[in-house]
Amino acid sequence: MKLKLNKTVIGFSILSFLLITFIALTIGNMIIQQLILDPYALVETLLDDSVLKSIWISFSASFVSTLIAFILGTPLGYFLARKKFRGKGLIESLIDVPVIVPHTVAGIALITVFGYNGLIGAPLEELGIKFVDAFPGIVIAMLFISIPFYVNHVREGFESVDPKLENVARSLGENEWGAFRKVTLPLAYRDVLAGGIMSWARGISEFGAVILIAYYPMISPILIFERFRSFGLDSSRPIAVILILVSILVFVILRYLSRGWSIYAKD
Amino acid sequence: MLKIEGLSNDWGRFQLKNIDLEINEGEFLVILGPSGSGKTLLLETIAGFTIPDEGKIIRNKKDITKFSPEKRDLGFVYQDFALFPHLTVRENIAFGLEDKGSERVKKLASFLSIEDLLDENTITLSGGEKQRVTLARAIATKPNFMLFDEPLSSLDERIQEKMRREIKEMHKNMGLTSIYVTHDQSEAMYLADQIAIMMEGKIVQTGKPEDVFYEPKNEEIAKFVGIENIYSGNIKEKEDSLAKIDIGKKQIEAICGLEKGSNVRLMIRPEEVFIKKQKNPSSARNQFKGVIKEVIDEGSMLRLKIDCGFKLTSYITRKSFKEMELKSGEKIVANFKASSVHSVKE
């Protein structure tokens, strides 16, 4: 297929180009500048334990938060896709709230619930589970921020599976769980996986909510922030470049893998 | 036996209103109705995919109204196949079986002549093949009842006729009890032991196909089942069962149980109206000279709109149309028997 050139196509192309350039330039410039000005700093950073540790904490905390989103968010996504019930609109709006609140606000809200004197934080503290300045705090902040991405993604996935398929599975002797496990979930697998990747990526990129509840152990964005504040651009940029490269790499690998898991031949 | 009593279900756009139905073991019941009449909702309610607002579904004296679908022991065949796209043909057929590698899969596949397709992906199949897989999958678990939701309407016409025969054969050979939903009159005529006409969420008439098609209870049903010739008249003479009925300027003879003087509505199925070139005294009682006003091509059949002092529609085969060298504007004689005229009191 050839793209036919006319005024609309040309106009749209220019506008699209501007936007693409904006993203590519911002990311690319930082990476290239680092490579030209100070390539050795990259190597040093890669050997810096605190950097590696922060990347590990970012990735693993976000992974745990995504796992929780999968376990708790998959049933909710399914309900929203399939069932009609009172208050459904309210729940749908509630799910989207984390997208619109400033993330510092989310952080404050989380502290009031999971902080030392918080509604849930206080009793759990007695059991030895700590959220403030602890790994669970990071997970909970990431979960709060990324849940809309996961739930909305899997809901769309379940919506795209024809309910008739579930009906047929039921008529062939499966109960609701069997129909979900054998038919709906495998068919929505791609969206569940994509939702998981989105949630994971969103978790890694979170800063505002996490810094309020858990400054330590340091996730990468906080480490970058701290280095920037204390030592300036030259010492924070290499970490930023490393984080962005690793994230892109993992993202590409996951995208590629999830493509392989695609169920429909039409894709 | 399956018995449905006073079933009502309100889904907004589709509704069931106080439906009573009965189907005996081994019977083929066709629910015939225009689209939007709630036929699919009725099947889905019977299958338990939705719980009715009111009424009962009783299977062999057991109330199964609130049973979940997997406990109802029935097979469901959808119009658009609803094959599991992530499974092969074999896995689709074996879905409801405990023993996935069982001989039954092969047996069913060979019965429906799809044994060569067992390891295929369902996406690559043709419409006819897909529907065969659907049938095999549904009967694999030996269900008590089969529910068909317009299973042939997404297939092209040629395959439709073939599949129709196969479904009928399958029903007989496997001793199935079937409820089959369609909007297609000829399909209903061919398949049904019993027909239930459904309109706007209600069952408006039930009976043997010939009863429903030749003796529709009212004009609306008549129109729907394809009786295009409907006239109002008055019985002028009555001798034994033979009535002479005035419709405007013309008089139609009909076998009729009504009394002289009654106002009646007459219905004549278009396929019962024969076309001749000339009048023939030994032919049907009703013979009217007329002119072909319009010829409508409907594939193997042609629909002729005739003016013989009143408007009359006739269905004739393409073959006889050619043999008689008919064309629009041609003068002909329209014939129909007195017994082909169905009358109801107005």
Side-chain angles (χ1 to χ4, degrees), chain A residues 164-165 167 170-171 175 182, chain B residues 49 69-70 74 78 80 86:
Chain A
K164 285 178 189 164
L165 295 174
N167 285 346
R170 298 292 301 274
S171 77
N175 58 24
K182 292 186 184 170
Chain B
F49 303 152
E70 64 270 22
L74 43 82
Y78 271 116
D80 45 7
H86 58 308

Side-chain angles (χ1 to χ4, degrees), chain B residues 279-291:
Chain B
K279 281 204 174 186
N280 177 351
S282 68
S283 186
R285 275 190 180 274
N286 293 291
Q287 299 192 26
F288 297 96
K289 281 187 180 170
V291 178

Side-chain angles (χ1 to χ4, degrees), chain B residues 95-194:
Chain B
F95 190 90
L97 298 173
E98 299 251 317
D99 174 14
K100 304 285 179 199
S102 100
E103 277 297 303
R104 185 156 172 79
V105 175
K106 272 191 205 154
K107 232 165 114 183
L108 284 168
S110 85
F111 181 75
L112 285 156
S113 24
I114 46 170
E115 63 265 59
D116 295 338
L117 304 173
L118 278 175
D119 295 308
E120 299 277 323
N121 200 317
T122 56
I123 295 163
T124 59
L125 305 182
S126 72
E129 289 165 347
K130 280 183 184 167
Q131 201 51 283
R132 279 161 212 263
V133 178
T134 313
L135 291 172
R137 180 179 64 180
I139 54 176
T141 55
K142 298 188 181 165
N144 236 313
F145 290 90
M146 282 294 291
L147 305 177
F148 298 91
D149 185 14
E150 308 225 7
L152 304 183
S153 51
S154 50
L155 303 177
D156 64 52
E157 223 171 286
R158 227 161 16 92
I159 300 168
Q160 264 187 21
E161 268 175 44
K162 194 162 176 237
M163 289 297 293
R164 192 184 289 170
R165 272 200 304 278
E166 287 185 23
I167 288 180
K168 181 95 176 174
E169 262 168 45
M170 188 178 90
H171 169 85
K172 266 190 204 154
N173 293 346
M174 304 213 160
L176 302 173
T177 305
S178 306
I179 303 179
Y180 188 106
V181 154
T182 183
H183 65 269
D184 183 324
Q185 291 85 358
S186 52
E187 204 167 289
M189 192 77 148
Y190 180 83
L191 290 169
D193 297 323
Q194 291 281 333

Side-chain angles (χ1 to χ4, degrees), chain A residues 200-214:
Chain A
W200 187 68
R202 188 65 197 84
I204 291 169
S205 61
E206 183 50 25
F207 171 74
V210 178
I211 197 170
L212 282 164
I213 193 165

Side-chain angles (χ1 to χ4, degrees), chain B residues 26-292:
Chain B
E27 218 170 45
F28 204 119
L29 170 71
V30 173
I31 297 166
L32 178 65
S35 52
S37 56
K39 305 184 299 283
T40 299
L41 180 60
L42 175 57
L43 277 198
E44 293 194 326
T45 310
I46 295 172
F49 303 152
T50 154
I51 301 294
D53 302 328
E54 272 171 64
K56 278 183 186 165
I57 304 168
I58 294 154
R59 189 186 70 204
N60 302 332
K61 290 180 184 160
K62 196 168 182 185
D63 185 347
I64 60 163
T65 317
K66 298 217 164 104
F67 276 34
S68 54
E70 64 270 22
K71 301 227 166 78
R72 297 196 182 203
D73 191 17
L74 43 82
F76 204 104
V77 177
Y78 271 116
Q79 172 186 346
D80 45 7
F81 322 122
L83 288 170
F84 303 126
H86 58 308
L87 304 177
T88 62
V89 170
R90 186 192 304 277
E91 289 166 333
N92 263 281
I93 299 174
F95 190 90
L97 298 173
E98 299 251 317
D99 174 14
K100 304 285 179 199
S102 100
E103 277 297 303
R104 185 156 172 79
V105 175
K106 272 191 205 154
K107 232 165 114 183
L108 284 168
S110 85
F111 181 75
L112 285 156
S113 24
I114 46 170
E115 63 265 59
D116 295 338
L117 304 173
L118 278 175
D119 295 308
E120 299 277 323
N121 200 317
T122 56
I123 295 163
T124 59
L125 305 182
S126 72
E129 289 165 347
K130 280 183 184 167
Q131 201 51 283
R132 279 161 212 263
V133 178
T134 313
L135 291 172
R137 180 179 64 180
I139 54 176
T141 55
K142 298 188 181 165
N144 236 313
F145 290 90
M146 282 294 291
L147 305 177
F148 298 91
D149 185 14
E150 308 225 7
L152 304 183
S153 51
S154 50
L155 303 177
D156 64 52
E157 223 171 286
R158 227 161 16 92
I159 300 168
Q160 264 187 21
E161 268 175 44
K162 194 162 176 237
M163 289 297 293
R164 192 184 289 170
R165 272 200 304 278
E166 287 185 23
I167 288 180
K168 181 95 176 174
E169 262 168 45
M170 188 178 90
H171 169 85
K172 266 190 204 154
N173 293 346
M174 304 213 160
L176 302 173
T177 305
S178 306
I179 303 179
Y180 188 106
V181 154
T182 183
H183 65 269
D184 183 324
Q185 291 85 358
S186 52
E187 204 167 289
M189 192 77 148
Y190 180 83
L191 290 169
D193 297 323
Q194 291 281 333
I195 287 183
I197 305 276
M198 187 163 180
M199 283 173 159
E200 287 168 16
K202 286 185 220 153
I203 298 289
V204 287
Q205 187 171 0
T206 51
K208 293 203 166 74
E210 53 272 27
D211 294 344
V212 173
F213 277 92
Y214 291 90
E215 289 171 37
K217 261 191 196 163
N218 59 44
E219 196 179 336
E220 210 184 341
I221 300 173
K223 271 197 181 142
F224 175 67
V225 298
I227 299 173
E228 292 172 59
N229 302 310
I230 300 173
Y231 312 99
S232 289
N234 182 274
I235 302 179
K236 282 289 166 214
E237 284 177 41
K238 183 86 193 284
E239 209 184 304
D240 293 329
S241 60
L242 187 70
K244 292 189 173 170
I245 302 160
D246 277 0
I247 55 155
K249 292 172 195 159
K250 301 282 177 177
Q251 197 171 60
I252 286 177
E253 293 184 36
I255 305 291
C256 166
L258 300 168
E259 280 163 35
K260 186 177 162 183
S262 343
N263 285 323
V264 291
R265 180 142 289 196
L266 305 179
M267 308 173 192
I268 307 154
R269 298 188 66 81
E271 59 268 38
E272 306 251 325
V273 178
F274 306 101
I275 304 298
K276 294 268 160 61
K277 283 279 195 177
Q278 268 124 28
K279 281 204 174 186
N280 177 351
S282 68
S283 186
R285 275 190 180 274
N286 293 291
Q287 299 192 26
F288 297 96
K289 281 187 180 170
V291 178
I292 300 177

Side-chain angles (χ1 to χ4, degrees), chain A residues 122-140:
Chain A
L124 284 182
E125 171 99 23
E126 311 239 321
L127 300 169
I129 301 169
K130 211 169 80 118
F131 289 94
V132 174
D133 285 339
F135 191 79
I138 301 172
V139 171
I140 222 82

